[in-house]
Every structure is written in C-alpha cells, then in structure tokens.
Amino acid sequence: MIADAGRMPEFTPRQNEVLEQALRLLVEGGDRALTTSGLARAANCSKESLYKWFGDRDGLLAAMIAHQASKVRTFERGKEKLTPENLREHLETFARDLLEVLSGDISLALNRLAVGQSGRDGSKLGKLLLEHGRRQIDRRAIALMDAGKRAGLLRFDEADAAYHTLYGLVVSDLHVRMLLGEPGLKDNARQARRAVDAFLTLHGARQESGEAVRFSSGR
C-alpha cells in the first residue's frame, strides 16, 4: 500500500461474509437487532468465533465500519506507475465509490444511528465511525494525493487541504440531504467525473511550457 497509516484491516472471505450479515441486521432491525446470538444465527457461525475474530461489541462495530470503508478504493503503489490517464481513473474511482458507499442503506443507517446516540453519555459509535471509517478513507486518499504530487501530476502546498477540496467537490451537501431523507443521485459516475474535472483544474500540474497537463478521460 502507499502508506502503512492508510492500510485497512484485512479480513478473510468468511469474516467478510459475517460482517455483511452484521451490516444487514443493522439496516433491517436497527441497533437492537445486532446481538451476538442474532449474528451467530444469521451468519451460521458460533459466538466463540465472533469473539475470536472481532472481540467485544465495539470491536465488531469497528470491523463493520472498516469493512464498509474498504469499499472505497484508492491507488496502491507498486502495481503501476501513475500517469495522467490512470491518475484520473483512480480519482474517478475513488469519487464514485465514495458516493456509492455514502448513499447506500448501510452508511445511512450507521450515520443515523450515530446521530441518534450522540446525546447519550458514553456513546462510542460516532467515534468509531470517524476513526475506522472517515479517517481511514481520508488517509488512503491523502496518500493518493501525495503520490500524484511525487509523480509531477498534481500541485498543492498541503495534501490534506487538496484532498478536502476533492471531498467537498464530490460530496458537497449530498450526504446531509440523504440523511434527511432525500434520494441519492441518479448518476454517481457523472458527479464523480464533474468533481474530478474541477479538482484537476484547480490542482493539476503544469508543464514547463506553462500548459496544463492533459488528463484524458475514457468518457
């Protein structure tokens, strides 16, 4: 991976199946439906296996969130050299995945549950969402920003600021509106392309001649 700080936990295929069942239970039945016994029945595994793989309830929630965040893909250094064409492709993939994950029933259910618990003493779901969800996505995407700059394709002073510009262009106020009940976008790919176009206009590198690097698109 680009940086160890951005690495997501790796689960076995069986563990991923269990985590998908856990997320399904949460979406369909809310917080009360997510019990060790209920998950063991739904996933056809033992409670002992759940404790061995994920630990306590907080560990299970953290694993569920990390599993969900891993669906937002970014560039992995070492597999290929960054070029203008594949940098755009990686940025659009990231933007499209981000929109699809944020607009999905699972993400909306987790976020609504966290908001509902935010006033309770000792509520941990919001913190887990930030640390194992948003921040993990942020770290990996910022690593992509850094890789683009090292390749001479992006220009910025701070990768964090450049990334948050991209995030704002991609998401805007869409997530808040969806949490309030509005439907998601009909075409996430189109929104992703438009956001990446704007981002590359702002942060795309320039050649020695002063002309902007051309980031061709497969559209």
Side-chain angles (χ1 to χ4, degrees):
M1 304 292 285
I2 289 176
D4 289 344
R7 296 187 69 174
M8 301 293 291
E10 295 183 1
F11 301 110
T12 67
R14 178 59 176 139
Q15 289 168 343
N16 282 327
E17 291 175 359
V18 172
L19 291 171
E20 283 293 332
Q21 288 293 328
L23 290 166
R24 182 185 62 80
L25 287 175
L26 184 67
V27 170
E28 294 180 355
D31 188 34
R32 294 181 179 180
L34 187 60
T35 64
T36 303
S37 298
L39 178 55
R41 286 193 300 272
N44 193 27
C45 67
S46 67
K47 290 191 288 185
E48 290 75 13
S49 293
L50 294 178
Y51 285 118
K52 178 182 178 181
W53 291 337
F54 309 118
D56 60 11
R57 181 181 175 81
D58 286 348
L60 174 61
L61 285 169
M64 291 164 59
I65 294 165
H67 172 68
Q68 185 71 357
S70 71
K71 298 174 184 177
V72 181
R73 294 165 289 173
T74 52
F75 170 70
E76 294 185 4
R77 190 175 65 187
K79 290 190 174 182
E80 60 182 325
K81 179 181 178 180
L82 274 182
T83 65
E85 292 77 13
N86 63 28
L87 175 59
R88 169 183 279 279
E89 180 182 345
H90 288 302
L91 289 170
E92 288 190 9
T93 296
F94 168 79
R96 186 173 59 253
D97 285 355
L98 181 63
L99 286 168
E100 290 176 357
V101 167
L102 290 179
S103 63
D105 290 341
I106 292 170
S107 176
L108 293 174
L110 283 167
N111 280 274
R112 285 171 179 148
L113 182 58
V115 170
Q117 293 181 355
S118 62
R120 302 180 192 174
D121 293 336
S123 174
K124 296 180 180 179
L125 182 55
K127 293 179 180 178
L128 291 171
L129 276 171
L130 284 174
E131 183 57 37
H132 298 277
R134 173 67 187 267
R135 288 175 186 161
Q136 289 294 333
I137 292 172
D138 290 354
R139 289 174 187 135
R140 292 184 293 120
I142 289 171
L144 174 59
M145 300 290 107
D146 284 329
K149 185 175 183 179
R150 286 194 301 271
L153 301 174
L154 296 177
R155 55 187 174 90
F156 49 78
D157 293 326
E158 296 183 3
D160 182 79
Y163 163 65
H164 283 93
T165 296
L166 174 64
Y167 190 96
L169 290 167
V170 173
V171 178
S172 184
D173 64 344
L174 291 170
H175 197 213
V176 173
R177 284 158 46 194
M178 288 184 288
L179 286 170
L180 294 174
E182 286 192 15
L185 295 172
K186 294 181 179 179
D187 190 347
N188 287 330
R190 181 171 181 269
Q191 171 66 10
R193 287 194 300 268
R194 293 176 62 183
V196 171
D197 281 343
F199 175 77
L200 291 174
T201 298
L202 291 169
H203 291 291
R206 295 188 174 274
Q207 304 176 49
E208 292 184 4
S209 64
E211 294 183 1
V213 173
R214 294 187 178 182
F215 297 88
S216 62
S217 172
R219 281 171 282 182

